[in-house]
Amino acid sequence: MSKYEPLWRYLQGRREDALTLSFAEIGAIAGTPLDHSFLRCKKELLAYGWQVGKISMKAETVAFARLG
């Protein structure tokens, strides 16, 4: 199981088609701080019907979009 599994399940339960979360929010939801492993793990999100969009290092946010 991925350390980001709680985040993937959280997104799967959302109703909106797009969502932007801060790095801090992601850490709180996932129970682990966002780190470089997120870049390797983000493809797992596709199985939950979402994809990772823009990652802003400056604003410290990640945009997510529902597939389809």
Side-chain angles (χ1 to χ4, degrees):
M1 179 168 84
S2 168
K3 69 180 183 177
Y4 294 106
E5 182 77 20
L7 175 61
W8 307 156
R9 287 194 314 261
Y10 171 82
L11 289 168
Q12 188 178 37
R14 304 294 298 199
R15 295 182 184 248
E16 57 267 76
D17 291 330
L19 181 66
T20 299
L21 297 172
S22 70
F23 289 4
E25 290 171 317
I26 291 170
I29 294 165
T32 186
L34 190 67
D35 60 22
H36 285 5
S37 70
F38 181 79
L39 296 175
R40 289 190 311 271
C41 297
K42 70 180 185 174
K43 65 181 177 238
E44 299 168 357
L45 185 53
L46 297 173
Y48 293 85
W50 285 78
Q51 64 185 354
V52 173
K54 182 178 179 184
I55 300 173
S56 173
M57 300 304 288
K58 183 176 181 180
E60 295 188 349
T61 59
V62 178
F64 298 93
R66 187 179 301 279
L67 295 174

